[in-house]
Amino acid sequence: MSLKPADIAYPASVSCLEASRQASGIPGLAPTDEKDGNLPDIIVSSSLHEFLVNLHEKYGPLVSFWFGRRLVVSLGSIDLLKQHVNPNRLLGPFETMLKSLLRYQSSLNGDTGESHMRRKLYENGVTKSLQSNFALIQKLSEELLAKWLSLPEAQHVPLCQHMLGFAMKSVTQTAMGSSFEDDREVIRFRRHHDAIWSEIGKGFLDGSLDKNMTRKKHYEDALVEMESIIRKVTKERRGRSFNRHVFIDTLLQGSLSDQQILEDTMIFSLAGCVITANLCTWAVYFLTTSEEVQQNLYKEMDYVLGKGPITHEKIEQLRYCRQVLCETVRTAKLTPIAAQLQELEGRVDQHTIPKETLVLYALGVMLQDSSSWPSPYKFDPDRFNEELAMKNLSLLGFSGSQECPELRFAYMVATVLLSVLVRKLYLHPVKGQVMEAKYELVTSPKEEAWITFLAPFPPISYVVVVASNSV
């Protein structure tokens, strides 16, 4: 059975009875509305993540509520996540949720061997495109630095906007090739991307999209246009060889249908852009909050790279940089929600989870659980010196073998970018200003963050101030 958009935001075609939760003994909320379940409570909480934070605080690490007439169980601790086993699961939970929201067929259906092959092809596509386009990512990083340094000293620069533009260029050229060297193509892609992601991030989850026909048409038109772009690239690259290998080339070398190529390219393009942009944005912001962390990162970059550029081989030596990025993911709660459909009846913590229950992984709750992360609200990359911290992050899908391909891509791009920025810029916060978060499928700053250039500061050549509009 595939997870459908209705499973996430609207009543399922087959109702799950209140008795099913009572039988399982899982604490939680009764439906607020007969048709919409607890959807009104989610809307009042501003986001699904904030709703889950409140729910887990009240009822504990294992809770239940209702999406429409479908029972939902949420896991809010790493210990419970370890217990949750879905024997039919092949997709990562983030990809499962995103595919369902796009109304694409989940690979949980059909032949197990075929699904596994498709997943491996996707992962190999990300790996090969990173290797082939490493110099391109470095070039785009250098271009961003040069752009910043060319501005007047007091010029305010929108960090979120520039990181999204940088991520868009990196992902489109790495995923679909040199046609996106044309800024007009990137702008066109960005327009459709923004229209689609704004609804994926909120419109489906709060149930508002299908209730507003103007918004729904705008979303569907953007999706059609984006799919048209991908189909055009597929046709242009099929059976041809190019200097740089990109993501879609790997898919074309497999035995996938055109629809499967379209879906996988769409997933990578959408998720890759948003995850990369926000990882880079949050990493720069958090560096401004700790002069010590920034200086330690500079020292590692200087020691490992010297005066030369970063190379693919030297990335593994930048251990502290990886700790900074892992702590960025944790502190920002980069992807706060993931989901799986319970294929078979299962048990967690002595409770039965009925078949066809939607199981949410409240990753944002787990990432700031004080029993797993001492001083959870403190940005502290040193916590990832501990093997247990890295193991916990891996269990949540943010590191190691469970790491989603889009995040692996983002880690690499962010490492290259920081290697360029940190050796030239000193990052400094504006006193008293705080970055507030907007929690959707990927967590982003609620307001724009601004950078401005000040006088040189030793031992680094320049000073950058990062500020946020929010208080």
Side-chain angles (χ1 to χ4, degrees):
M1 175 182 289
S2 62
L3 185 65
K4 303 177 183 67
D7 298 331
I8 293 177
Y10 288 98
S13 56
V14 178
S15 298
C16 292
L17 301 177
E18 175 74 23
S20 66
R21 182 177 64 197
Q22 293 173 345
S24 67
I26 299 173
L29 294 179
T32 302
D33 182 271
E34 182 179 353
K35 180 182 178 184
D36 289 340
N38 295 115
L39 190 57
D41 304 298
I42 296 172
I43 294 171
V44 168
S45 298
S46 299
S47 72
L48 181 56
H49 163 70
E50 289 159 299
F51 168 77
L52 292 177
V53 168
N54 295 331
L55 200 62
H56 283 288
E57 283 181 355
K58 184 173 182 179
Y59 293 103
L62 182 65
V63 300
S64 60
F65 63 100
W66 299 84
F67 274 151
R69 297 187 179 97
R70 177 179 288 281
L71 176 67
V72 182
V73 171
S74 177
L75 307 182
S77 77
I78 293 175
D79 286 341
L80 293 183
L81 186 65
K82 292 176 185 176
Q83 296 177 37
H84 184 243
V85 177
N86 185 337
N88 297 320
R89 190 181 79 192
L90 288 169
L91 294 179
F94 181 82
E95 183 183 350
T96 299
M97 201 166 188
L98 184 52
K99 273 201 166 189
S100 301
L101 290 169
L102 286 166
R103 296 181 167 94
Y104 290 156
Q105 184 69 37
S106 169
S107 295
L108 290 172
N109 266 3
D111 181 75
T112 300
E114 181 182 335
S115 298
H116 182 71
M117 177 276 297
R118 182 175 175 186
R119 178 67 177 173
K120 295 302 293 183
L121 193 66
Y122 188 103
E123 292 174 349
N124 289 339
V126 173
T127 300
K128 289 182 179 179
S129 61
L130 276 172
Q131 292 171 345
S132 182
N133 293 276
F134 190 85
L136 167 68
I137 295 167
Q138 186 172 351
K139 173 176 171 286
L140 292 172
S141 301
E142 295 282 0
E143 287 177 355
L144 180 62
L145 174 65
K147 181 177 181 178
W148 286 3
L149 295 177
S150 70
L151 296 171
E153 187 173 282
Q155 177 74 51
H156 284 210
V157 180
L159 179 63
C160 299
Q161 181 179 323
H162 280 217
M163 289 299 102
L164 183 56
F166 166 73
M168 289 274 178
K169 290 181 180 180
S170 299
V171 171
T172 53
Q173 293 185 47
T174 302
M176 294 178 283
S178 58
S179 61
F180 289 90
E181 292 174 5
D182 185 340
D183 284 347
R184 291 172 298 181
E185 288 297 312
V186 178
I187 291 169
R188 180 183 171 214
F189 176 91
R190 181 170 179 171
R191 184 171 65 251
H192 302 319
H193 177 283
D194 289 352
I196 295 167
W197 192 263
S198 65
E199 296 298 354
I200 287 176
K202 186 169 177 64
F204 278 115
L205 296 183
D206 68 8
S208 62
L209 181 61
D210 281 341
K211 297 177 182 179
N212 186 318
M213 296 312 295
T214 301
R215 277 174 53 195
K216 186 174 182 181
K217 184 178 188 306
H218 183 57
Y219 165 81
E220 291 176 345
D221 288 348
L223 192 59
V224 167
E225 289 296 321
M226 186 79 93
E227 290 177 343
S228 176
I229 291 171
I230 295 172
R231 287 193 180 96
K232 180 183 176 184
V233 173
T234 301
K235 184 177 180 180
E236 289 172 349
R237 296 189 75 91
R238 188 186 297 277
R240 299 178 62 191
S241 59
F242 296 85
N243 292 332
R244 287 189 295 109
H245 183 95
V246 298
F247 176 77
I248 204 168
D249 293 335
T250 299
L251 303 185
L252 287 165
Q253 292 169 3
S255 55
L256 300 182
S257 67
D258 285 352
Q259 181 62 27
Q260 289 173 325
I261 292 171
L262 168 67
E263 291 178 6
D264 287 353
T265 305
M266 179 73 79
I267 294 292
F268 177 64
S269 299
L270 286 172
C273 284
V274 176
I275 291 174
T276 300
N278 283 291
L279 177 62
C280 291
T281 297
W282 286 114
V284 170
Y285 171 73
F286 288 133
L287 284 175
T288 72
T289 67
S290 175
E291 182 174 331
E292 181 183 0
V293 171
Q294 191 175 165
Q295 292 287 0
N296 287 340
L297 182 57
Y298 171 81
K299 289 173 184 176
E300 179 181 72
M301 295 287 187
D302 187 56
Y303 177 77
V304 174
L305 304 177
K307 302 301 180 184
I310 192 170
T311 63
H312 201 281
E313 294 72 28
K314 288 186 176 180
I315 281 187
E316 291 299 317
Q317 299 176 45
L318 297 173
R319 294 185 61 187
Y320 189 72
C321 183
R322 179 63 179 226
Q323 289 175 213
V324 168
L325 293 176
C326 286
E327 181 65 345
T328 296
V329 166
R330 191 202 66 80
T331 308
K333 303 176 287 293
L334 191 66
T335 56
I337 307 291
Q340 291 287 357
L341 194 64
Q342 186 73 32
E343 297 289 301
L344 305 173
E345 182 179 287
R347 292 185 68 80
V348 171
D349 197 28
Q350 306 306 310
H351 294 289
T352 299
I353 299 181
K355 180 181 178 181
E356 298 184 11
T357 300
L358 182 62
V359 179
L360 294 185
Y361 297 161
L363 302 177
V365 174
M366 298 181 207
L367 287 168
Q368 295 197 331
D369 179 358
S370 59
S371 65
S372 299
W373 317 98
S375 303
Y377 296 100
K378 180 183 179 183
F379 180 71
D380 180 17
D382 287 337
R383 75 174 75 244
F384 286 102
N385 275 328
E386 301 293 331
E387 184 178 341
L388 180 59
M390 290 303 299
K391 183 178 180 181
N392 284 341
L393 204 69
S394 179
L395 285 168
L396 298 178
F398 296 113
S399 183
S401 61
Q402 301 299 314
E403 186 178 285
C404 79
E406 297 85 6
L407 183 57
R408 179 156 48 87
F409 178 89
Y411 278 138
M412 180 76 78
V413 173
T415 301
V416 174
L417 179 64
L418 290 182
S419 78
V420 170
L421 297 182
V422 169
R423 289 188 289 166
K424 293 291 184 182
L425 308 173
Y426 181 75
L427 305 165
H428 190 73
V430 170
K431 187 176 180 180
Q433 296 193 335
V434 178
M435 185 94 79
E436 296 182 17
K438 178 172 66 175
Y439 298 107
E440 297 177 337
L441 284 189
V442 177
T443 303
S444 62
K446 188 175 288 186
E447 303 288 346
E448 181 58 84
W450 298 90
I451 60 173
T452 183
F453 298 91
L454 302 177
F457 185 95
I460 310 174
S461 302
Y462 299 90
V463 179
V464 181
V465 175
V466 175
S468 170
N469 282 338
S470 53
V471 177

